Amino acid sequence: MNEIEQVIEQEFSKTVKRIASKSPPKHTLAEILIDKTLNKLKELAKLHRISKYSTLKKDSLVSTLANALVELDRIETFLFMSDDGNLNELIELSKVSQLECSAITCAKLDFYMMLGMVEIYYFESKFIAVMPTEIRQIVEKVCTKDFMKKKKRDSLILNYARSCVSLYGIISQDEFVEIFNAQNSTPTDIDEVFTTLIKHVSMDSDFCFWDEYIVSAGFEEDDFEGVSHLIEATQGKPRYIPTKNQLLKYADSSYYEETIYTKKLERHLKTICKTDYIAEDLADEICFLASMEADFNDIMQPVNAAGIEFEGIEDVQAFADIIMDLKNNTRIWANKGHTPKELHSLYAKKPIRSFSDNLIPFNTFKNPAPVASKKVGRNEPCPCGSGKKYKKCCGK
């Protein structure tokens, strides 16, 4: 385990210890549920849409939940909605009565913990994951070769949706089907796409539906007003469509295409940051901001926060030129995935204006250097302990 992995493990350990049960591990649903507080049981019942759960006493709630959690269709649906890597962890757990594991593995089981399918214990200074005996039997029954084949198909459509909203922000269902069918031997249609994706939207997803479009879930924050603006901004522009392998890299919402300009930025940051890790983390953040079309002042905020000091306007100008090159070669939603430079070349318009021409003179920054914070994946549970994904909590 390298230094970064050690720090991530330590951060997750703090979070998992807060939510883990501290008693000796239990192995049946009834034993596990009876140990929970009434409020925790009600939260679980609400999640599973148990009728009139708020009126039930604890014993009745335990019994009702125990029956609901072993419904075959319910578990099959949840397994379909699982990320492939996390499902593999769950299948391994289903093969044993309990599993001593790392905090990072516990974090991968977070989705199933939330559903009541897995319980995490912190006992005798060890993390122990337990899948109730009744659920283990059902998982073993469900996870057949036929199920895994259907799950593979589900995951492929899901990853295409995640990739398209990450690269484009929005895409019509017709165009989505067209791209998918051009890159896969087994075609899909709008009915299969909608039926597959709506299950994920109902839980917690990176995307949602708006009219005939699949759109980034971030548009919910402004009641989808941004969708109309983006449709208008992209009107008449050609769509950038990478190869299948390249497109599916965007299923990871933190992914960005590495170029000579992203590497130049990282090399430059390593000359002015206190550590290489701070430089790498800051480069990731700046590349993300560039993809969101942030202006220079917005990009300077994390630079400021990192405690970077510029000696004079020449240093600021040199940094601004690097950012200008980065932005002009970054794929953005408003260009349907094209970079500004690519679109400029396609249309042979006047040269792209450098925003460094309008630089505001900066004084030397005197912010104290912060403690280096180690990166948490945007799809991993937030270390603050909220239970939400990092990108939907402190990573916003």
Side-chain angles (χ1 to χ4, degrees), residues 228-261:
S228 299
H229 295 316
L230 186 54
I231 291 172
E232 183 178 354
T234 56
Q235 193 168 10
K237 294 178 181 178
R239 187 177 297 281
Y240 165 72
I241 304 176
T243 63
K244 177 179 178 178
N245 288 342
Q246 183 63 30
L247 176 58
L248 289 176
K249 290 180 181 179
Y250 287 90
D252 177 358
S253 61
S254 64
Y255 171 78
Y256 58 85
E257 185 177 335
E258 285 194 2
T259 65
I260 59 173
Y261 304 101

PDB file of all heavy atoms in Angstrom, residues 228-261:
ATOM      1  N   SER A 228     -31.968  24.000 -21.297  1.00  0.00           N
ATOM      2  CA  SER A 228     -32.391  24.821 -22.439  1.00  0.00           C
ATOM      3  C   SER A 228     -31.234  25.671 -22.957  1.00  0.00           C
ATOM      4  O   SER A 228     -31.045  25.811 -24.172  1.00  0.00           O
ATOM      5  CB  SER A 228     -33.564  25.718 -22.038  1.00  0.00           C
ATOM      6  OG  SER A 228     -34.670  24.947 -21.626  1.00  0.00           O
ATOM      7  N   HIS A 229     -30.457  26.234 -22.041  1.00  0.00           N
ATOM      8  CA  HIS A 229     -29.307  27.052 -22.440  1.00  0.00           C
ATOM      9  C   HIS A 229     -28.279  26.219 -23.202  1.00  0.00           C
ATOM     10  O   HIS A 229     -27.702  26.682 -24.193  1.00  0.00           O
ATOM     11  CB  HIS A 229     -28.658  27.694 -21.219  1.00  0.00           C
ATOM     12  CG  HIS A 229     -29.533  28.676 -20.499  1.00  0.00           C
ATOM     13  ND1 HIS A 229     -30.298  29.616 -21.159  1.00  0.00           N
ATOM     14  CD2 HIS A 229     -29.776  28.874 -19.178  1.00  0.00           C
ATOM     15  CE1 HIS A 229     -30.968  30.352 -20.286  1.00  0.00           C
ATOM     16  NE2 HIS A 229     -30.670  29.912 -19.068  1.00  0.00           N
ATOM     17  N   LEU A 230     -28.049  24.970 -22.716  1.00  0.00           N
ATOM     18  CA  LEU A 230     -27.057  24.119 -23.365  1.00  0.00           C
ATOM     19  C   LEU A 230     -27.550  23.667 -24.740  1.00  0.00           C
ATOM     20  O   LEU A 230     -26.765  23.598 -25.694  1.00  0.00           O
ATOM     21  CB  LEU A 230     -26.746  22.908 -22.483  1.00  0.00           C
ATOM     22  CG  LEU A 230     -25.618  21.999 -22.969  1.00  0.00           C
ATOM     23  CD1 LEU A 230     -24.325  22.791 -23.228  1.00  0.00           C
ATOM     24  CD2 LEU A 230     -25.345  20.883 -21.957  1.00  0.00           C
ATOM     25  N   ILE A 231     -28.821  23.354 -24.850  1.00  0.00           N
ATOM     26  CA  ILE A 231     -29.383  22.985 -26.152  1.00  0.00           C
ATOM     27  C   ILE A 231     -29.184  24.124 -27.152  1.00  0.00           C
ATOM     28  O   ILE A 231     -28.795  23.909 -28.310  1.00  0.00           O
ATOM     29  CB  ILE A 231     -30.881  22.631 -26.027  1.00  0.00           C
ATOM     30  CG1 ILE A 231     -31.053  21.320 -25.248  1.00  0.00           C
ATOM     31  CG2 ILE A 231     -31.538  22.503 -27.404  1.00  0.00           C
ATOM     32  CD1 ILE A 231     -32.482  20.979 -24.912  1.00  0.00           C
ATOM     33  N   GLU A 232     -29.439  25.339 -26.697  1.00  0.00           N
ATOM     34  CA  GLU A 232     -29.271  26.508 -27.560  1.00  0.00           C
ATOM     35  C   GLU A 232     -27.798  26.695 -27.942  1.00  0.00           C
ATOM     36  O   GLU A 232     -27.471  26.992 -29.097  1.00  0.00           O
ATOM     37  CB  GLU A 232     -29.790  27.764 -26.845  1.00  0.00           C
ATOM     38  CG  GLU A 232     -29.735  29.021 -27.696  1.00  0.00           C
ATOM     39  CD  GLU A 232     -30.291  30.238 -26.971  1.00  0.00           C
ATOM     40  OE1 GLU A 232     -30.833  30.077 -25.849  1.00  0.00           O
ATOM     41  OE2 GLU A 232     -30.188  31.340 -27.530  1.00  0.00           O
ATOM     42  N   ALA A 233     -26.900  26.503 -26.962  1.00  0.00           N
ATOM     43  CA  ALA A 233     -25.467  26.709 -27.213  1.00  0.00           C
ATOM     44  C   ALA A 233     -24.892  25.681 -28.185  1.00  0.00           C
ATOM     45  O   ALA A 233     -23.928  25.974 -28.910  1.00  0.00           O
ATOM     46  CB  ALA A 233     -24.707  26.657 -25.894  1.00  0.00           C
ATOM     47  N   THR A 234     -25.464  24.483 -28.214  1.00  0.00           N
ATOM     48  CA  THR A 234     -24.920  23.408 -29.054  1.00  0.00           C
ATOM     49  C   THR A 234     -25.618  23.296 -30.405  1.00  0.00           C
ATOM     50  O   THR A 234     -25.214  22.481 -31.239  1.00  0.00           O
ATOM     51  CB  THR A 234     -25.048  22.051 -28.331  1.00  0.00           C
ATOM     52  OG1 THR A 234     -26.430  21.821 -27.980  1.00  0.00           O
ATOM     53  CG2 THR A 234     -24.214  22.027 -27.064  1.00  0.00           C
ATOM     54  N   GLN A 235     -26.630  24.088 -30.617  1.00  0.00           N
ATOM     55  CA  GLN A 235     -27.430  23.976 -31.837  1.00  0.00           C
ATOM     56  C   GLN A 235     -26.554  24.150 -33.089  1.00  0.00           C
ATOM     57  O   GLN A 235     -25.802  25.116 -33.212  1.00  0.00           O
ATOM     58  CB  GLN A 235     -28.547  25.031 -31.848  1.00  0.00           C
ATOM     59  CG  GLN A 235     -29.599  24.787 -32.913  1.00  0.00           C
ATOM     60  CD  GLN A 235     -30.818  25.682 -32.702  1.00  0.00           C
ATOM     61  OE1 GLN A 235     -30.800  26.586 -31.892  1.00  0.00           O
ATOM     62  NE2 GLN A 235     -31.881  25.404 -33.436  1.00  0.00           N
ATOM     63  N   GLY A 236     -26.655  23.187 -33.996  1.00  0.00           N
ATOM     64  CA  GLY A 236     -25.925  23.257 -35.257  1.00  0.00           C
ATOM     65  C   GLY A 236     -24.486  22.805 -35.193  1.00  0.00           C
ATOM     66  O   GLY A 236     -23.809  22.731 -36.232  1.00  0.00           O
ATOM     67  N   LYS A 237     -23.978  22.484 -34.017  1.00  0.00           N
ATOM     68  CA  LYS A 237     -22.580  22.064 -33.893  1.00  0.00           C
ATOM     69  C   LYS A 237     -22.474  20.549 -34.095  1.00  0.00           C
ATOM     70  O   LYS A 237     -23.355  19.794 -33.671  1.00  0.00           O
ATOM     71  CB  LYS A 237     -22.023  22.432 -32.517  1.00  0.00           C
ATOM     72  CG  LYS A 237     -21.919  23.937 -32.284  1.00  0.00           C
ATOM     73  CD  LYS A 237     -21.394  24.246 -30.885  1.00  0.00           C
ATOM     74  CE  LYS A 237     -21.318  25.749 -30.635  1.00  0.00           C
ATOM     75  NZ  LYS A 237     -20.864  26.060 -29.262  1.00  0.00           N
ATOM     76  N   PRO A 238     -21.397  20.093 -34.726  1.00  0.00           N
ATOM     77  CA  PRO A 238     -21.203  18.642 -34.893  1.00  0.00           C
ATOM     78  C   PRO A 238     -20.822  18.008 -33.562  1.00  0.00           C
ATOM     79  O   PRO A 238     -20.253  18.664 -32.697  1.00  0.00           O
ATOM     80  CB  PRO A 238     -20.047  18.566 -35.887  1.00  0.00           C
ATOM     81  CG  PRO A 238     -19.276  19.830 -35.652  1.00  0.00           C
ATOM     82  CD  PRO A 238     -20.296  20.877 -35.294  1.00  0.00           C
ATOM     83  N   ARG A 239     -21.159  16.745 -33.405  1.00  0.00           N
ATOM     84  CA  ARG A 239     -20.839  16.051 -32.157  1.00  0.00           C
ATOM     85  C   ARG A 239     -19.509  15.309 -32.283  1.00  0.00           C
ATOM     86  O   ARG A 239     -19.244  14.634 -33.288  1.00  0.00           O
ATOM     87  CB  ARG A 239     -21.944  15.053 -31.790  1.00  0.00           C
ATOM     88  CG  ARG A 239     -21.741  14.431 -30.399  1.00  0.00           C
ATOM     89  CD  ARG A 239     -22.885  13.508 -30.018  1.00  0.00           C
ATOM     90  NE  ARG A 239     -24.152  14.207 -29.925  1.00  0.00           N
ATOM     91  CZ  ARG A 239     -24.547  14.953 -28.911  1.00  0.00           C
ATOM     92  NH1 ARG A 239     -23.724  15.139 -27.885  1.00  0.00           N
ATOM     93  NH2 ARG A 239     -25.729  15.529 -28.919  1.00  0.00           N
ATOM     94  N   TYR A 240     -18.689  15.438 -31.262  1.00  0.00           N
ATOM     95  CA  TYR A 240     -17.457  14.654 -31.178  1.00  0.00           C
ATOM     96  C   TYR A 240     -17.823  13.268 -30.641  1.00  0.00           C
ATOM     97  O   TYR A 240     -18.411  13.139 -29.554  1.00  0.00           O
ATOM     98  CB  TYR A 240     -16.463  15.327 -30.229  1.00  0.00           C
ATOM     99  CG  TYR A 240     -15.323  14.430 -29.805  1.00  0.00           C
ATOM    100  CD1 TYR A 240     -14.312  14.082 -30.690  1.00  0.00           C
ATOM    101  CD2 TYR A 240     -15.270  13.919 -28.498  1.00  0.00           C
ATOM    102  CE1 TYR A 240     -13.267  13.260 -30.308  1.00  0.00           C
ATOM    103  CE2 TYR A 240     -14.229  13.094 -28.103  1.00  0.00           C
ATOM    104  CZ  TYR A 240     -13.230  12.769 -29.007  1.00  0.00           C
ATOM    105  OH  TYR A 240     -12.205  11.937 -28.613  1.00  0.00           O
ATOM    106  N   ILE A 241     -17.511  12.229 -31.404  1.00  0.00           N
ATOM    107  CA  ILE A 241     -17.809  10.861 -30.975  1.00  0.00           C
ATOM    108  C   ILE A 241     -16.516  10.056 -30.983  1.00  0.00           C
ATOM    109  O   ILE A 241     -16.004   9.702 -32.044  1.00  0.00           O
ATOM    110  CB  ILE A 241     -18.860  10.188 -31.883  1.00  0.00           C
ATOM    111  CG1 ILE A 241     -20.135  11.028 -31.941  1.00  0.00           C
ATOM    112  CG2 ILE A 241     -19.171   8.781 -31.365  1.00  0.00           C
ATOM    113  CD1 ILE A 241     -21.186  10.492 -32.886  1.00  0.00           C
ATOM    114  N   PRO A 242     -15.954   9.789 -29.821  1.00  0.00           N
ATOM    115  CA  PRO A 242     -14.712   8.988 -29.761  1.00  0.00           C
ATOM    116  C   PRO A 242     -15.002   7.511 -29.995  1.00  0.00           C
ATOM    117  O   PRO A 242     -16.160   7.099 -30.136  1.00  0.00           O
ATOM    118  CB  PRO A 242     -14.227   9.232 -28.330  1.00  0.00           C
ATOM    119  CG  PRO A 242     -15.475   9.506 -27.550  1.00  0.00           C
ATOM    120  CD  PRO A 242     -16.429  10.194 -28.499  1.00  0.00           C
ATOM    121  N   THR A 243     -13.963   6.704 -30.021  1.00  0.00           N
ATOM    122  CA  THR A 243     -14.145   5.260 -30.124  1.00  0.00           C
ATOM    123  C   THR A 243     -14.854   4.742 -28.870  1.00  0.00           C
ATOM    124  O   THR A 243     -14.912   5.437 -27.842  1.00  0.00           O
ATOM    125  CB  THR A 243     -12.791   4.549 -30.249  1.00  0.00           C
ATOM    126  OG1 THR A 243     -12.027   4.792 -29.044  1.00  0.00           O
ATOM    127  CG2 THR A 243     -12.007   5.069 -31.452  1.00  0.00           C
ATOM    128  N   LYS A 244     -15.343   3.539 -28.932  1.00  0.00           N
ATOM    129  CA  LYS A 244     -16.054   2.951 -27.796  1.00  0.00           C
ATOM    130  C   LYS A 244     -15.185   2.940 -26.539  1.00  0.00           C
ATOM    131  O   LYS A 244     -15.625   3.373 -25.466  1.00  0.00           O
ATOM    132  CB  LYS A 244     -16.506   1.528 -28.131  1.00  0.00           C
ATOM    133  CG  LYS A 244     -17.189   0.794 -26.990  1.00  0.00           C
ATOM    134  CD  LYS A 244     -17.630  -0.599 -27.420  1.00  0.00           C
ATOM    135  CE  LYS A 244     -18.277  -1.357 -26.256  1.00  0.00           C
ATOM    136  NZ  LYS A 244     -18.756  -2.695 -26.677  1.00  0.00           N
ATOM    137  N   ASN A 245     -13.954   2.459 -26.676  1.00  0.00           N
ATOM    138  CA  ASN A 245     -13.076   2.371 -25.505  1.00  0.00           C
ATOM    139  C   ASN A 245     -12.806   3.746 -24.904  1.00  0.00           C
ATOM    140  O   ASN A 245     -12.787   3.909 -23.679  1.00  0.00           O
ATOM    141  CB  ASN A 245     -11.758   1.696 -25.884  1.00  0.00           C
ATOM    142  CG  ASN A 245     -11.911   0.206 -26.123  1.00  0.00           C
ATOM    143  OD1 ASN A 245     -12.901  -0.401 -25.693  1.00  0.00           O
ATOM    144  ND2 ASN A 245     -10.964  -0.390 -26.836  1.00  0.00           N
ATOM    145  N   GLN A 246     -12.583   4.736 -25.766  1.00  0.00           N
ATOM    146  CA  GLN A 246     -12.313   6.080 -25.273  1.00  0.00           C
ATOM    147  C   GLN A 246     -13.556   6.701 -24.653  1.00  0.00           C
ATOM    148  O   GLN A 246     -13.484   7.335 -23.594  1.00  0.00           O
ATOM    149  CB  GLN A 246     -11.801   6.967 -26.417  1.00  0.00           C
ATOM    150  CG  GLN A 246     -11.419   8.376 -25.993  1.00  0.00           C
ATOM    151  CD  GLN A 246     -10.269   8.407 -25.001  1.00  0.00           C
ATOM    152  OE1 GLN A 246      -9.400   7.538 -25.017  1.00  0.00           O
ATOM    153  NE2 GLN A 246     -10.268   9.405 -24.124  1.00  0.00           N
ATOM    154  N   LEU A 247     -14.710   6.500 -25.280  1.00  0.00           N
ATOM    155  CA  LEU A 247     -15.956   7.061 -24.760  1.00  0.00           C
ATOM    156  C   LEU A 247     -16.267   6.515 -23.378  1.00  0.00           C
ATOM    157  O   LEU A 247     -16.647   7.273 -22.466  1.00  0.00           O
ATOM    158  CB  LEU A 247     -17.110   6.753 -25.719  1.00  0.00           C
ATOM    159  CG  LEU A 247     -18.513   7.194 -25.282  1.00  0.00           C
ATOM    160  CD1 LEU A 247     -18.570   8.699 -25.029  1.00  0.00           C
ATOM    161  CD2 LEU A 247     -19.561   6.790 -26.322  1.00  0.00           C
ATOM    162  N   LEU A 248     -16.102   5.207 -23.191  1.00  0.00           N
ATOM    163  CA  LEU A 248     -16.483   4.591 -21.921  1.00  0.00           C
ATOM    164  C   LEU A 248     -15.556   4.986 -20.765  1.00  0.00           C
ATOM    165  O   LEU A 248     -15.898   4.760 -19.602  1.00  0.00           O
ATOM    166  CB  LEU A 248     -16.538   3.070 -22.064  1.00  0.00           C
ATOM    167  CG  LEU A 248     -17.723   2.557 -22.901  1.00  0.00           C
ATOM    168  CD1 LEU A 248     -17.653   1.047 -23.071  1.00  0.00           C
ATOM    169  CD2 LEU A 248     -19.056   2.956 -22.273  1.00  0.00           C
ATOM    170  N   LYS A 249     -14.417   5.593 -21.069  1.00  0.00           N
ATOM    171  CA  LYS A 249     -13.576   6.122 -19.994  1.00  0.00           C
ATOM    172  C   LYS A 249     -14.291   7.238 -19.239  1.00  0.00           C
ATOM    173  O   LYS A 249     -14.045   7.469 -18.058  1.00  0.00           O
ATOM    174  CB  LYS A 249     -12.255   6.645 -20.559  1.00  0.00           C
ATOM    175  CG  LYS A 249     -11.323   5.552 -21.065  1.00  0.00           C
ATOM    176  CD  LYS A 249     -10.034   6.147 -21.622  1.00  0.00           C
ATOM    177  CE  LYS A 249      -9.108   5.052 -22.147  1.00  0.00           C
ATOM    178  NZ  LYS A 249      -7.858   5.627 -22.705  1.00  0.00           N
ATOM    179  N   TYR A 250     -15.216   7.935 -19.932  1.00  0.00           N
ATOM    180  CA  TYR A 250     -15.940   9.041 -19.315  1.00  0.00           C
ATOM    181  C   TYR A 250     -17.019   8.563 -18.344  1.00  0.00           C
ATOM    182  O   TYR A 250     -17.654   9.381 -17.682  1.00  0.00           O
ATOM    183  CB  TYR A 250     -16.573   9.928 -20.397  1.00  0.00           C
ATOM    184  CG  TYR A 250     -15.567  10.781 -21.133  1.00  0.00           C
ATOM    185  CD1 TYR A 250     -14.938  10.312 -22.286  1.00  0.00           C
ATOM    186  CD2 TYR A 250     -15.229  12.048 -20.682  1.00  0.00           C
ATOM    187  CE1 TYR A 250     -14.000  11.083 -22.958  1.00  0.00           C
ATOM    188  CE2 TYR A 250     -14.294  12.829 -21.346  1.00  0.00           C
ATOM    189  CZ  TYR A 250     -13.684  12.341 -22.481  1.00  0.00           C
ATOM    190  OH  TYR A 250     -12.759  13.106 -23.146  1.00  0.00           O
ATOM    191  N   ALA A 251     -17.229   7.243 -18.239  1.00  0.00           N
ATOM    192  CA  ALA A 251     -18.164   6.719 -17.241  1.00  0.00           C
ATOM    193  C   ALA A 251     -17.685   7.068 -15.836  1.00  0.00           C
ATOM    194  O   ALA A 251     -18.481   7.179 -14.904  1.00  0.00           O
ATOM    195  CB  ALA A 251     -18.327   5.210 -17.392  1.00  0.00           C
ATOM    196  N   ASP A 252     -16.377   7.235 -15.677  1.00  0.00           N
ATOM    197  CA  ASP A 252     -15.797   7.747 -14.434  1.00  0.00           C
ATOM    198  C   ASP A 252     -15.906   9.263 -14.499  1.00  0.00           C
ATOM    199  O   ASP A 252     -15.236   9.909 -15.323  1.00  0.00           O
ATOM    200  CB  ASP A 252     -14.341   7.312 -14.318  1.00  0.00           C
ATOM    201  CG  ASP A 252     -13.642   7.877 -13.087  1.00  0.00           C
ATOM    202  OD1 ASP A 252     -14.274   8.655 -12.330  1.00  0.00           O
ATOM    203  OD2 ASP A 252     -12.455   7.551 -12.896  1.00  0.00           O
ATOM    204  N   SER A 253     -16.744   9.849 -13.658  1.00  0.00           N
ATOM    205  CA  SER A 253     -17.026  11.284 -13.742  1.00  0.00           C
ATOM    206  C   SER A 253     -15.799  12.145 -13.474  1.00  0.00           C
ATOM    207  O   SER A 253     -15.790  13.339 -13.782  1.00  0.00           O
ATOM    208  CB  SER A 253     -18.142  11.659 -12.766  1.00  0.00           C
ATOM    209  OG  SER A 253     -17.760  11.367 -11.437  1.00  0.00           O
ATOM    210  N   SER A 254     -14.748  11.570 -12.886  1.00  0.00           N
ATOM    211  CA  SER A 254     -13.535  12.341 -12.620  1.00  0.00           C
ATOM    212  C   SER A 254     -12.526  12.242 -13.765  1.00  0.00           C
ATOM    213  O   SER A 254     -11.467  12.871 -13.724  1.00  0.00           O
ATOM    214  CB  SER A 254     -12.871  11.871 -11.319  1.00  0.00           C
ATOM    215  OG  SER A 254     -12.450  10.525 -11.442  1.00  0.00           O
ATOM    216  N   TYR A 255     -12.868  11.489 -14.802  1.00  0.00           N
ATOM    217  CA  TYR A 255     -11.941  11.301 -15.923  1.00  0.00           C
ATOM    218  C   TYR A 255     -11.869  12.551 -16.794  1.00  0.00           C
ATOM    219  O   TYR A 255     -12.870  13.227 -17.036  1.00  0.00           O
ATOM    220  CB  TYR A 255     -12.374  10.111 -16.791  1.00  0.00           C
ATOM    221  CG  TYR A 255     -11.581  10.001 -18.086  1.00  0.00           C
ATOM    222  CD1 TYR A 255     -10.297   9.477 -18.098  1.00  0.00           C
ATOM    223  CD2 TYR A 255     -12.127  10.458 -19.290  1.00  0.00           C
ATOM    224  CE1 TYR A 255      -9.557   9.397 -19.272  1.00  0.00           C
ATOM    225  CE2 TYR A 255     -11.392  10.379 -20.473  1.00  0.00           C
ATOM    226  CZ  TYR A 255     -10.116   9.845 -20.452  1.00  0.00           C
ATOM    227  OH  TYR A 255      -9.384   9.779 -21.622  1.00  0.00           O
ATOM    228  N   TYR A 256     -10.681  12.864 -17.260  1.00  0.00           N
ATOM    229  CA  TYR A 256     -10.506  13.850 -18.318  1.00  0.00           C
ATOM    230  C   TYR A 256      -9.386  13.355 -19.228  1.00  0.00           C
ATOM    231  O   TYR A 256      -8.497  12.605 -18.812  1.00  0.00           O
ATOM    232  CB  TYR A 256     -10.187  15.245 -17.762  1.00  0.00           C
ATOM    233  CG  TYR A 256      -8.955  15.333 -16.900  1.00  0.00           C
ATOM    234  CD1 TYR A 256      -7.685  15.510 -17.470  1.00  0.00           C
ATOM    235  CD2 TYR A 256      -9.039  15.232 -15.511  1.00  0.00           C
ATOM    236  CE1 TYR A 256      -6.549  15.583 -16.685  1.00  0.00           C
ATOM    237  CE2 TYR A 256      -7.901  15.303 -14.721  1.00  0.00           C
ATOM    238  CZ  TYR A 256      -6.663  15.479 -15.316  1.00  0.00           C
ATOM    239  OH  TYR A 256      -5.534  15.552 -14.534  1.00  0.00           O
ATOM    240  N   GLU A 257      -9.431  13.767 -20.462  1.00  0.00           N
ATOM    241  CA  GLU A 257      -8.473  13.314 -21.454  1.00  0.00           C
ATOM    242  C   GLU A 257      -7.112  13.965 -21.205  1.00  0.00           C
ATOM    243  O   GLU A 257      -7.002  15.189 -21.158  1.00  0.00           O
ATOM    244  CB  GLU A 257      -8.981  13.678 -22.849  1.00  0.00           C
ATOM    245  CG  GLU A 257      -8.124  13.159 -23.983  1.00  0.00           C
ATOM    246  CD  GLU A 257      -8.715  13.493 -25.345  1.00  0.00           C
ATOM    247  OE1 GLU A 257      -9.943  13.690 -25.435  1.00  0.00           O
ATOM    248  OE2 GLU A 257      -7.925  13.570 -26.318  1.00  0.00           O
ATOM    249  N   GLU A 258      -6.082  13.148 -21.028  1.00  0.00           N
ATOM    250  CA  GLU A 258      -4.740  13.675 -20.827  1.00  0.00           C
ATOM    251  C   GLU A 258      -4.168  14.126 -22.156  1.00  0.00           C
ATOM    252  O   GLU A 258      -4.218  13.404 -23.156  1.00  0.00           O
ATOM    253  CB  GLU A 258      -3.833  12.622 -20.188  1.00  0.00           C
ATOM    254  CG  GLU A 258      -4.103  12.399 -18.714  1.00  0.00           C
ATOM    255  CD  GLU A 258      -2.985  11.618 -18.045  1.00  0.00           C
ATOM    256  OE1 GLU A 258      -1.986  11.293 -18.737  1.00  0.00           O
ATOM    257  OE2 GLU A 258      -3.100  11.332 -16.849  1.00  0.00           O
ATOM    258  N   THR A 259      -3.633  15.330 -22.188  1.00  0.00           N
ATOM    259  CA  THR A 259      -3.047  15.900 -23.396  1.00  0.00           C
ATOM    260  C   THR A 259      -1.700  16.520 -23.037  1.00  0.00           C
ATOM    261  O   THR A 259      -1.309  16.562 -21.863  1.00  0.00           O
ATOM    262  CB  THR A 259      -3.964  16.992 -23.980  1.00  0.00           C
ATOM    263  OG1 THR A 259      -4.026  18.087 -23.037  1.00  0.00           O
ATOM    264  CG2 THR A 259      -5.371  16.465 -24.226  1.00  0.00           C
ATOM    265  N   ILE A 260      -1.029  17.049 -24.038  1.00  0.00           N
ATOM    266  CA  ILE A 260       0.236  17.730 -23.760  1.00  0.00           C
ATOM    267  C   ILE A 260      -0.008  18.953 -22.880  1.00  0.00           C
ATOM    268  O   ILE A 260       0.875  19.379 -22.133  1.00  0.00           O
ATOM    269  CB  ILE A 260       0.950  18.151 -25.059  1.00  0.00           C
ATOM    270  CG1 ILE A 260       0.071  19.086 -25.899  1.00  0.00           C
ATOM    271  CG2 ILE A 260       1.373  16.936 -25.859  1.00  0.00           C
ATOM    272  CD1 ILE A 260       0.808  19.665 -27.113  1.00  0.00           C
ATOM    273  N   TYR A 261      -1.243  19.475 -22.940  1.00  0.00           N
ATOM    274  CA  TYR A 261      -1.561  20.681 -22.169  1.00  0.00           C
ATOM    275  C   TYR A 261      -1.857  20.348 -20.706  1.00  0.00           C
ATOM    276  O   TYR A 261      -1.495  21.110 -19.815  1.00  0.00           O
ATOM    277  CB  TYR A 261      -2.745  21.410 -22.817  1.00  0.00           C
ATOM    278  CG  TYR A 261      -2.475  21.725 -24.270  1.00  0.00           C
ATOM    279  CD1 TYR A 261      -3.021  20.932 -25.288  1.00  0.00           C
ATOM    280  CD2 TYR A 261      -1.629  22.771 -24.635  1.00  0.00           C
ATOM    281  CE1 TYR A 261      -2.742  21.199 -26.621  1.00  0.00           C
ATOM    282  CE2 TYR A 261      -1.346  23.044 -25.963  1.00  0.00           C
ATOM    283  CZ  TYR A 261      -1.907  22.243 -26.960  1.00  0.00           C
ATOM    284  OH  TYR A 261      -1.620  22.508 -28.277  1.00  0.00           O
TER     285      TYR A 261
END
